[in-house]
Amino acid sequence: MESSILDLPNEILISIFSQIDYRDIVHCSFVCSRFKCICDLNLIWKRFCKHYWLHDKSLEEDTFSCDSDGQSYKLVFKHYCESWGRYIGCYRSIKKAWNVIEEYTRQLNPDTIFRSLQEGLSEERLDELELEYEVEFPTDLRCSYRIHDGQIDGPGLLGTRTISGHRVMEDLLDLETSLDMRFGQPGTNGTMPLTLCSYSGISQFITLSDIEGRTPGTIFYFGISDYIHQEVSDLRDEFIVANSFTEWVTTFANNLATRRHLSLDGCILRFLEDPTAIEHTRCFKVKAATCFCPELSCVTAQSHFFYLYRITLSMSPDAPASESCQLERRHWYIRDENGKVEEVDGPGVVGEYPVMKPGSEFTWVSSTTFQTQSGCMEGYFTMRNFKTSEMFQIKCPPYHMKCPPYVTAQDRRLLAAEAKEKFNSNGH
């Protein structure tokens, strides 16, 4: 006698159905009345609600989980699909990232960045903007603007980097401002700015169409040629920071969640801390964080990759006062990708000679450049003990710097020409 899946006990069927996609559950529910009863079980739809919509409330907490037949997670799932259905493939990632960003900025300072986040746009408004501006937004970008429509009147969500009068603080733009700024710079056809620094005019751009040979969804910065050689408008190096909006926002959120992004006075810093770039010498600790500056980097002309680094030197509060000392000299080993080493030695750090006492900490920011895409720095600081005049060295750990992938200006010109030829060959 042949057996079939219908001969399996309910416990086994429930276990099987709990492993398949919600679309297949819907199809299975039409097989027979027994399958329908199992497919409608709350424990199955509760899993779907949590997986796709991050919904983990009890039914008693929901205002839309009840109809004439009673409460069910299937109704909860249906409600989300009615409002967010087109985003079911990306909602989880985007919403999870925004949950992290909201919680981080709330803890950082609820009256600054967190308060500046605007309410999201309606589905109808997004449709209107696509029609009005004749654009089509990537699905994950639309989903994000449903949650938050950028910032207003707050410190830059995307972080700050400052050195010697050069300051960048990137705000997340609201969608209408982004659309209005689409043609503010040459070579931005088919893109729109996601962020803007009001001090420098620097933006990160997201690609909306392949009209100039870019891949839709790609997010990038322009290199220094955009700001220095304005007369050569078609020679623009581009540094690719993400291949999709989902990658971009989730990477940022992960860096916040793991505390890789530093913060200061209620602001997020662009510096990324390397958890391995920590060195202990006696009762002293040195740690390093780095930041690539695309707006000061160039590939098309003489290769020039610009980095900021942030060093923090601290002395344990439990150290004896007899260990108090002062930094007198620094010595750096700067190694590029090809193994070429440059040594730099000099008095103090950034013109300062910090005094270290138990519990004290000194932080400074400086910069370096490489002609290769990556490089490494390490070194030591020569200290003088106040009590004994002993000279000793505190080691600075190696910290690595690497620029993101890039498209050179020449390559961009070729890609734009190919895209134009393809566009014309299709009869446009």
Side-chain angles (χ1 to χ4, degrees), residues 215-383:
T215 302
T218 301
I219 298 173
F220 64 93
Y221 281 103
F222 284 119
I224 196 171
S225 58
D226 177 36
Y227 304 100
I228 302 302
H229 306 302
Q230 289 286 350
E231 71 278 9
V232 193
S233 60
D234 61 338
L235 293 180
R236 301 159 65 84
D237 300 325
E238 298 171 7
F239 292 96
I240 312 299
V241 295
N243 294 311
S244 69
F245 181 82
T246 299
E247 178 190 342
W248 185 76
V249 73
T250 55
T251 298
F252 177 63
N254 288 339
N255 285 334
L256 294 180
T258 57
R259 297 301 191 266
R260 288 198 67 201
H261 270 306
L262 304 176
S263 62
L264 181 67
D265 298 331
C267 294
I268 298 171
L269 302 182
R270 288 294 294 179
F271 292 90
L272 283 177
E273 200 165 58
D274 181 352
T276 67
I278 298 177
E279 189 73 43
H280 294 269
T281 304
R282 291 161 57 160
C283 55
F284 301 92
K285 180 173 72 173
V286 179
K287 58 183 181 179
T290 62
C291 174
F292 175 65
C293 298
E295 75 280 2
L296 299 176
S297 301
C298 183
V299 187
T300 295
Q302 184 178 4
S303 294
H304 178 88
F305 302 98
F306 192 99
Y307 298 87
L308 300 181
Y309 57 88
R310 189 175 190 267
I311 307 296
T312 298
L313 169 62
S314 60
M315 184 174 179
S316 171
D318 300 324
S322 59
E323 290 285 340
S324 298
C325 55
Q326 184 171 24
L327 187 151
E328 295 210 341
R329 299 190 69 83
R330 70 190 185 279
H331 191 95
W332 294 116
Y333 301 98
I334 306 172
R335 182 179 295 104
D336 70 12
E337 187 177 324
N338 299 323
K340 180 183 175 182
V341 178
E342 177 187 2
E343 292 191 45
V344 175
D345 188 273
V349 288
V350 293
E352 301 282 345
Y353 299 85
V355 171
M356 305 304 297
K357 296 180 179 180
S360 63
E361 180 177 283
F362 185 78
T363 298
W364 68 96
V365 174
S366 191
S367 64
T368 190
T369 60
F370 292 97
Q371 290 185 324
T372 56
Q373 296 179 46
S374 64
C376 175
M377 285 182 66
E378 61 183 308
Y380 58 85
F381 310 116
T382 300
M383 315 294 291

Side-chain angles (χ1 to χ4, degrees), residues 55-65 71 73 76:
H55 182 99
D56 56 2
K57 295 180 180 178
S58 66
L59 290 178
E60 290 74 18
E61 295 178 86
D62 284 316
T63 58
F64 46 81
S65 63
Q71 293 177 313
Y73 279 106
V76 176

Side-chain angles (χ1 to χ4, degrees), residues 31-187:
V31 172
C32 62
S33 59
R34 185 181 174 211
F35 273 22
K36 176 170 174 43
C37 289
I38 294 174
C39 290
D40 284 347
L41 287 174
N42 269 330
L43 65 89
I44 289 178
W45 287 98
K46 182 179 181 180
R47 180 178 70 87
F48 291 145
C49 287
K50 185 172 183 179
H51 177 75
Y52 290 100
W53 310 117
L54 301 179
H55 182 99
D56 56 2
K57 295 180 180 178
S58 66
L59 290 178
E60 290 74 18
E61 295 178 86
D62 284 316
T63 58
F64 46 81
S65 63
C66 187
D67 63 8
S68 58
D69 296 324
Q71 293 177 313
S72 78
Y73 279 106
K74 186 176 180 180
L75 284 174
V76 176
F77 189 89
K78 181 180 178 182
H79 169 83
Y80 274 107
C81 285
E82 289 172 351
S83 182
W84 296 88
R86 70 183 294 170
Y87 309 111
I88 195 166
C90 64
Y91 178 92
R92 175 185 174 88
S93 297
I94 302 299
K95 179 60 175 172
K96 189 174 182 180
W98 272 114
N99 287 347
V100 170
I101 294 168
E102 289 170 3
E103 183 59 25
Y104 181 92
T105 55
R106 183 188 293 112
Q107 292 182 6
L108 185 64
N109 189 329
D111 295 323
T112 55
I113 298 176
F114 178 75
R115 180 172 288 184
S116 74
L117 298 176
Q118 298 196 96
E119 292 294 323
L121 300 173
S122 67
E123 196 71 12
E124 294 73 23
R125 183 56 181 153
L126 285 166
D127 289 339
E128 290 172 359
L129 290 172
E130 282 192 331
L131 186 63
E132 178 182 350
Y133 287 89
E134 299 180 338
V135 296
E136 183 177 348
F137 306 123
T139 302
D140 52 359
L141 181 65
R142 274 187 69 120
C143 182
S144 181
Y145 278 114
R146 282 287 310 274
I147 299 169
H148 283 296
D149 183 24
Q151 289 181 267
I152 185 169
D153 298 331
L157 173 64
L158 276 300
T160 301
R161 53 184 181 270
T162 304
I163 187 170
S164 301
H166 178 74
R167 185 182 187 189
V168 176
M169 177 184 283
E170 291 183 66
D171 297 323
L172 183 64
L173 292 172
D174 67 272
L175 185 53
E176 287 193 62
T177 300
S178 293
L179 291 168
D180 288 336
M181 290 178 59
R182 279 188 306 154
F183 306 109
Q185 296 186 43

